[in-house]
Amino acid sequence: MDGQPEALVDLDAIQANVAALRRHVGSAAVMAVVKSDAYGHGMLKSARAALAGGATWLGVVQLDDAIELRTAGFTVPILSLHGCPDARHAQAIRRGVDMTAGSPELVDQIALAAGRVGMPARLHLEADTGMGRGGATAADWPGLVAAALAAEAAGLVRVVGLWSHFACADIPGHPSIGQQLTAFREAIALAERAGARPEVRHLANGPATLTRPDSYFDLVRPGGAVYGLCTLPGGAPAWLRPAMTLRARLIHVKRVPPGVPVSYGHRYATARATALGVLPLGYNEGVPRLASNAPRLMFTSGRRVPIAGTVNLNHVILDLGSGPAEPGDEVILFGPGDRGEPTAQEWAEALGTISYEIVSRFTGKVPRTYCGVTAAEETTALGGAAFGGAAPGGAATGSDGSTDDQVATAH
Ligand SMILES: *Cc1c(COP(=O)(O)O)cnc(C)c1O
């Protein structure tokens, strides 16, 4: 590092986390969720590490992310987890991207695009079993299934998946967990009675993957756990390793007497003769301003030190005490925790949020660097054999962004 802050991502940790998750779930397949730039860890490299660890599916939110993965050469099944009208369905179909549908209208739009492309769309029907976000309610589910099976009979779609999403899997014992499981089983039964023959049925996010074997079905969808994070109380189990270390170097150090006020609003004053150290990152770079005056969230020279006063837009000031300190000293905001540094989980608990929000704040603001065997192995397999039907990966799209996609929109 050259003094600039950096987010160092340990790709070996990602690979090992996925391998451990795979062992944990037994025969269910693992979809590594790499949405939001892999929760701030970098989508392409994280996806590669996850596949090296044994994931056989990738999950994203945006269709564009799925297409970027295909363009980078990933051939495994990729599911776009939100059903989105007026999206680039034709391009997704050509690139063999699995899509979510939660309404008959969206099924019709996607089927229309498939008709023009001349190949069936791979659809996962989403049931809203209690999250209240995407998907069809129990009342609307029969209509969604009927629309999808009609499009399947016409050769326009393949219903390859049935899925739903937990609202409270990170609150163990919450009554909604069992209720959502029951509702999902009923949705599957109804769809299969109507003639659906899905390849995969899936419900479990990371917290459910860690705590509810009865929710595995054919496929689990861990996200944060891939990166060593979890929203369960207390965070992830010790067998998952946080993959991101956020660090920077002091750019300025000065010795001051007791009673010196520090930073905007003078919300801090030195209690003793001490050294103040300046770090070149603030809330613009991702340090929550709510961390102002946090007593134990910074780690340097083997010890925890307080944030002195208000977090600035581009700076944080540390109270370093009387020990040796000089410009260039490394400061770790969070990491895996094994040197005594805080974890993202500890930041989250101190600030009343979840670790996912802590690690994803630095995306695009702090340069990312990578370590781990996988980082050097750009040749790591991008996936196994091509999957059924559509032409995955490769240069399948001579006409990206062509009128196919625009025609699909029904404004
Ligand atoms: C984000 C997400 C996941 C992964 O959730 P985690 O809590 O990070 O494990 C799984 N499924 C869906 C639909 C999601 O949106």
Side-chain angles (χ1 to χ4, degrees):
M1 66 188 291
D2 57 5
Q4 290 306 308
E6 68 175 6
L8 173 65
V9 176
D10 178 359
L11 296 172
D12 284 351
I14 292 176
Q15 178 175 338
N17 288 340
V18 173
L21 288 163
R22 258 198 91 186
R23 285 193 296 276
H24 182 78
V25 300
S27 60
V30 173
M31 171 190 291
V33 176
V34 295
K35 64 189 179 191
S36 297
D37 209 9
Y39 296 53
H41 294 68
M43 182 176 72
L44 296 179
K45 284 193 160 59
S46 297
R48 230 169 248 131
L51 295 192
T56 52
W57 287 69
L58 294 171
V60 297
V61 169
Q62 309 294 344
L63 271 181
D64 285 352
D65 285 347
I67 289 163
E68 187 182 340
L69 285 162
R70 282 281 180 261
T71 301
F74 288 87
T75 58
V76 295
I78 302 171
L79 172 60
S80 169
L81 288 161
H82 77 184
C84 189
D86 306 343
R88 298 199 282 159
H89 299 140
Q91 194 182 7
I93 293 163
R94 276 193 235 103
R95 306 302 295 266
V97 171
D98 290 19
M99 281 180 279
T100 289
S103 71
E105 294 76 18
L106 186 53
V107 169
D108 291 347
Q109 263 195 21
I110 293 173
L112 210 63
R116 279 195 312 277
V117 172
M119 57 202 285
R122 290 171 52 90
L123 271 197
H124 295 238
L125 305 183
E126 181 182 3
D128 178 4
T129 58
M131 171 70 177
R133 193 173 69 179
T137 62
D140 293 340
W141 181 248
L144 173 62
V145 168
L149 292 178
E152 186 168 70
L156 296 170
V157 311
R158 263 288 291 137
V159 178
V160 296
L162 304 174
W163 72 280
S164 189
H165 192 45
F166 279 124
C168 305
D170 52 7
I171 309 173
H174 194 284
S176 70
I177 299 172
Q179 290 159 8
Q180 286 200 253
L181 262 168
T182 301
F184 186 52
R185 287 199 195 94
E186 287 168 5
I188 292 171
L190 188 148
E192 293 184 344
R193 270 199 310 274
R197 294 292 174 265
E199 296 168 13
V200 286
R201 295 153 296 183
H202 48 107
L203 175 61
N205 57 359
T209 300
L210 293 172
T211 58
R212 295 292 298 228
D214 53 346
S215 70
Y216 291 172
F217 295 92
D218 305 303
L219 176 71
V220 296
R221 306 189 307 262
V226 168
Y227 316 99
L229 309 172
C230 191
T231 56
L232 282 163
W239 51 269
L240 294 172
R241 182 171 175 80
M244 185 187 291
T245 296
L246 208 294
R247 62 187 187 180
R249 290 187 189 276
L250 296 174
I251 56 170
H252 188 58
V253 175
K254 70 191 113 193
R255 303 278 159 185
V256 297
V260 170
V262 182
S263 194
Y264 291 125
H266 281 180
R267 293 163 64 200
Y268 188 90
T270 56
R272 55 196 167 152
T274 188
L276 295 176
V278 180
L279 264 190
L281 78 176
Y283 55 84
N284 173 67
E285 285 71 36
V287 182
R289 193 167 176 280
L290 285 171
S292 298
N293 280 333
R296 287 182 50 78
L297 292 181
M298 292 283 178
F299 181 80
T300 185
S301 301
R303 65 193 193 281
R304 302 286 188 97
V305 297
I307 294 177
T310 309
V311 174
N312 295 188
L313 187 62
N314 305 115
H315 298 98
V316 170
I317 304 156
L318 307 181
D319 186 340
L320 298 168
S322 55
E326 54 187 78
D329 284 358
E330 182 184 78
V331 177
I332 298 178
L333 284 74
F334 55 82
D338 42 15
R339 288 157 296 189
E341 78 277 20
T343 57
Q345 176 68 22
E346 191 175 334
W347 274 76
E349 287 171 9
L351 302 180
T353 182
I354 60 173
S355 56
Y356 301 0
E357 187 184 4
I358 298 296
V359 293
S360 57
R361 293 177 69 91
F362 299 88
T363 304
K365 300 301 188 80
V366 168
R368 228 169 3 228
T369 55
Y370 292 92
C371 68
V373 175
T374 322
E377 288 177 0
E378 294 298 61
T379 53
T380 302
L382 299 177
F387 54 91
T397 56
S399 50
D400 285 3
S402 72
T403 51
D404 285 348
D405 288 310
Q406 278 106 55
V407 180
T409 63
H411 291 286

